[in-house]
Amino acid sequence: MPMPRAFRRVAAFLNPAVRPLARRMPPLATLRHQGRKSGRTYETPVMAFPTGSGWLIALAYGADVQWLRNVEHTGRATLSRRGERYQVTSVRRVDAAAVSPLLPPWARAVMGTANVSDYVILRG
């Protein structure tokens, strides 16, 4: 896993402050999803890169994040970026080698340095 588990707690604390920025500052975006057990609506900041047919999201905290489990379970989410909303109905996990050409060079370098090896592609 690229990021230590302890950092997830810090990120959860910072997410409310990051959300307003994430809606307007690419590559940040927010992903609105429904909890698979609670039914509660969540909004999670993510790094989303357009792919032409959807969005590529780096799983910087690993592939076992709750938002991904929720989206896979419900089969839908809403991605907000630069004030625009995009409906998501398809989720596919992919590895770094498969998506490397889709990332901008700076993001490829950052994700490589952070040892991010898992990604998801979201499509509407």
Side-chain angles (χ1 to χ4, degrees):
M1 176 183 305
M3 299 276 190
R5 284 198 179 271
F7 192 75
R8 288 185 187 190
R9 287 186 289 253
V10 173
F13 177 74
L14 293 175
N15 278 352
V18 173
R19 269 187 224 112
L21 296 173
R23 290 185 196 107
R24 305 226 180 267
M25 288 181 46
L28 293 175
T30 58
L31 195 64
R32 189 176 190 93
H33 54 96
Q34 186 175 10
R36 64 193 180 284
K37 294 177 185 175
S38 68
R40 183 176 161 206
T41 299
Y42 295 94
E43 196 171 34
T44 305
V46 295
M47 287 184 71
F49 301 93
T51 65
S53 63
W55 298 93
L56 174 64
I57 297 180
L59 299 174
Y61 299 110
D64 64 338
V65 290
Q66 295 300 316
W67 71 259
L68 179 55
R69 290 179 184 178
N70 291 341
V71 174
E72 287 177 330
H73 179 78
T74 62
R76 66 180 186 279
T78 303
L79 186 124
S80 297
R81 186 169 184 241
R82 282 193 168 164
E84 298 288 327
R85 290 188 178 148
Y86 305 90
Q87 296 303 312
V88 172
T89 57
S90 170
V91 180
R92 184 170 57 104
R93 294 179 187 229
V94 291
D95 64 14
V99 299
S100 184
L102 300 174
L103 288 169
W106 70 267
R108 199 173 315 129
V110 169
M111 298 306 160
T113 301
N115 294 321
V116 175
S117 59
D118 298 302
Y119 295 81
V120 293
I121 294 179
L122 306 177
R123 292 192 171 110

